[in-house]
Amino acid sequence: MVLSTLTDGISRSLDGVARSVTDIFEPTLRLGVTGLSGAGKTVFITALVANLLDRGRMPQLVAQGQGRIETVLLQPQPDLTLPRFDYETHLTALMGSDPRWPNSTRAVSELRLSFRLRPSGFLGLTGNTRLHLDIVDYPGEWLLDLSLLDKDYARWSDETLARITKRPEAADFMAQARAEDGSLPLEESHAQSLAATFTAYLHAARGQGWSDLTPGRFLLPGDLAGSPVLTFAPLPLPASTPRGSLWREMERRFDAYKSRVVKPFFRDHFSRIDRQVVLMDVLGAIHAGPRAVEDLRRTMAEVLTAFRPGANGWLTRILGGKRVEKILFAATKADHLHHHQHPALTAITEALLADARRRADFSGARTMALSLASLRATVEDSVQRDGGTLDLVRGRLLSTGKQAAMYAGDLPSDPARILAPAREGAEQWLDADFSLMGFAPARMTLQPGMGPPHIRLDRAAQFLIGDRL
């Protein structure tokens, strides 16, 4: 076991040296894209790639304005064991005669874009002439699992049970968990029943907009479905935990989940990322109520503990100790609001992430909060009502396909009016009502050289990769 670990470490170090030498001649930037369910990861990547291939809607990408980008090409992804991000299928779904949102992320996938650049500097003798951008897509539920690495089963159980005890979605599971005596000998049927009921809770919680959904593989099990490593659940700590007891077996499986599922993901994919995008459905949380907002704030704070933020140097790259240099926290679905409300959405997002961003900034990583729409699905409009002007948006309803207008509510300019009730555990907003409709992609025809319409996707691209172009 020790020899295997040592050999594996030496192999990864040699791989790091090889990658560093290759990066001197053909630099590579790995961009991780994640977010919780419904935040729009697949649409973000598809729209980003489309707008980097056809850059007519990317004025905030400085290298494009300077004429530095000669061409951008799709290339085979470097990791031969990873599925390719199905860009063409997703783009067809968004841009077809009957546009629809593509299927959500269910596993890790990758796509490579290669930039050919004009040299910069005096006489055009400096600067890279080529850059590979490897975009890695992975489910946000798996990212949340990284927070489990610093917890043991007892702590995770205690925190989870305390957090979900008042949620209606958890009523069945809480009744079953409280009825179990963890000190009794393991009966596999009990373990399977507990895991199934807990999994049902996680699915229901995701449907209600909750963010704290660990273990993430319970929602996206893949080929691990039905295995013991996914057959555990949180339990109250009994007075004694003898060998062979239900509690001890749940603890063993929890530890195996961390060592055999979470750690390999961290080692093989997450630890190699240079830049990171975390997409958040802030509007959806506000619509769900104060407790969902507080849940999102706490979850995002835990997410950042999973990163190793900081500035990358040549030595850390060679030794395999890569750190995330930049993190973009993006509130999606900005097209559900009139642009007059975008600053308020950005301010609320920044306030939600204040603690998490301070930790990242302190350790050397650059962070930015932004409100955006990867693909604009609405148009803005104004109507006269009660002697005043009401700014709203219009789009094609996802449910019926008919055109409809929506006014989401007046987001406060002071984020404290959202965050204070959330931290205090309020059941609902006292002086506001926030609505949200599901819009389908708009039918559109693109002009040559123009990518799909968006809101601030070019600013996101400039922050994430602009310094390397």
Side-chain angles (χ1 to χ4, degrees):
M1 180 66 178
V2 174
L3 180 60
S4 175
T5 302
L6 179 62
T7 303
D8 188 43
I10 293 173
S11 176
R12 289 200 298 274
S13 298
L14 292 175
D15 287 343
V17 173
R19 285 195 299 269
S20 298
V21 173
T22 302
D23 280 355
I24 296 174
F25 301 101
E26 291 194 2
T28 298
L29 193 65
R30 288 180 65 84
L31 172 64
V33 181
T34 195
L36 303 187
S37 177
K41 298 178 292 296
T42 303
V43 177
F44 177 88
I45 296 175
T46 303
L48 177 64
V49 172
N51 278 286
L52 289 175
L53 292 172
D54 294 301
R55 297 172 296 283
R57 299 185 194 269
M58 302 291 277
Q60 295 295 317
L61 189 60
V62 174
Q64 173 65 16
Q66 294 177 341
R68 284 260 296 142
I69 304 176
E70 290 187 345
T71 188
V72 182
L73 299 173
L74 281 170
Q75 302 276 26
Q77 75 269 32
D79 293 320
L80 301 181
T81 59
L82 280 185
R84 180 180 183 272
F85 179 82
D86 198 356
Y87 165 72
E88 292 82 4
T89 297
H90 298 324
L91 185 65
T92 298
L94 293 171
M95 306 300 297
S97 58
D98 184 21
R100 56 180 175 80
W101 300 117
N103 295 328
S104 61
T105 299
R106 302 192 64 83
V108 178
S109 62
E110 186 180 53
L111 192 72
R112 167 168 282 194
L113 281 177
S114 293
F115 292 77
R116 192 168 67 208
L117 308 169
R118 288 190 176 91
S120 60
F122 183 65
L123 298 179
L125 298 178
T126 61
N128 297 323
T129 59
R130 192 178 298 270
L131 174 71
H132 299 304
L133 177 65
D134 294 340
I135 302 175
V136 182
D137 176 32
Y138 61 96
E141 290 83 357
W142 296 5
L143 174 66
L144 297 184
D145 278 347
L146 297 181
S147 66
L148 301 179
L149 294 178
D150 293 329
K151 299 177 183 179
D152 58 21
Y153 176 67
R155 177 183 169 189
W156 173 72
S157 290
D158 184 60
E159 292 178 352
T160 300
L161 294 173
R163 191 167 58 244
I164 72 175
T165 185
K166 293 183 179 181
R167 296 180 185 176
E169 303 83 15
D172 289 345
F173 170 73
M174 290 300 300
Q176 186 175 0
R178 288 168 176 157
E180 287 288 349
D181 184 351
S183 65
L184 296 178
L186 167 71
E187 291 187 27
E188 186 60 32
S189 60
H190 284 202
Q192 292 179 4
S193 178
L194 281 163
T197 309
F198 185 64
T199 301
Y201 153 72
L202 290 174
H203 282 283
R206 181 171 62 177
Q208 292 299 315
W210 296 107
S211 303
D212 52 344
L213 304 172
T214 57
R217 292 294 180 101
F218 280 43
L219 293 166
L220 299 170
D223 57 2
L224 294 176
S227 65
V229 80
L230 296 190
T231 310
F232 64 90
L235 284 177
L237 179 63
S240 63
T241 57
R243 293 183 62 181
S245 65
L246 175 63
W247 170 275
R248 290 283 289 270
E249 180 61 18
M250 291 291 193
E251 181 181 45
R252 187 179 74 88
R253 294 178 185 186
F254 176 83
D255 291 340
Y257 182 82
K258 292 196 300 181
S259 63
R260 300 188 185 186
V261 178
V262 183
K263 287 184 178 179
F265 168 66
F266 180 86
R267 181 188 66 235
D268 298 338
H269 304 293
F270 189 77
S271 64
R272 297 167 54 198
I273 288 171
D274 300 295
R275 313 280 168 92
Q276 178 66 50
V277 179
V278 180
L279 303 175
M280 304 180 298
D281 184 7
V282 177
L283 281 178
I286 294 174
H287 172 62
R291 291 188 174 181
V293 171
E294 174 60 14
D295 176 59
L296 178 61
R297 185 202 66 79
R298 184 181 59 249
T299 299
M300 288 298 105
E302 284 199 355
V303 161
L304 195 62
T305 64
F307 289 93
R308 294 190 295 171
N312 278 345
W314 67 269
L315 182 60
T316 59
R317 295 188 183 196
I318 288 177
L319 297 179
K322 294 191 69 171
R323 295 179 179 273
V324 179
E325 300 168 326
K326 293 185 177 184
I327 308 172
L328 173 67
F329 296 99
T332 58
K333 303 179 182 177
D335 58 336
H336 285 51
L337 298 173
H338 192 277
H339 73 272
H340 290 160
Q341 294 213 60
H342 291 179
L345 177 59
T346 301
I348 292 170
T349 304
E350 289 177 336
L352 277 169
L353 299 165
D355 293 340
R357 291 184 69 191
R358 276 193 290 268
R359 296 179 195 174
D361 292 339
F362 181 79
S363 60
R366 289 187 59 197
T367 65
M368 183 171 75
L370 187 68
S371 56
L372 59 78
S374 306
L375 180 75
R376 186 163 197 158
T378 66
V379 295
E380 294 184 349
D381 197 2
S382 297
V383 297
Q384 297 299 315
R385 179 171 296 178
D386 299 329
T389 300
L390 189 66
D391 295 326
L392 43 77
V393 296
R394 294 184 183 274
R396 189 167 65 98
L397 285 179
L398 191 62
S399 56
T400 66
K402 296 181 179 180
Q403 291 291 317
M406 183 187 75
Y407 175 67
D410 190 13
L411 291 181
S413 57
D414 181 4
R417 291 180 57 191
I418 293 290
L419 267 65
R423 284 181 177 270
E424 293 167 1
E427 295 283 348
Q428 59 187 5
W429 308 114
L430 297 179
D431 57 352
D433 184 22
F434 302 104
S435 61
L436 201 62
M437 289 181 178
F439 289 111
R443 296 183 178 92
M444 66 187 76
T445 301
L446 301 181
Q447 299 298 319
M450 303 292 285
H454 60 81
I455 298 176
R456 299 186 193 90
L457 192 62
D458 51 345
R459 283 191 58 192
Q462 174 60 29
F463 173 76
L464 291 166
I465 66 174
D467 60 319
R468 298 291 298 272
L469 297 177

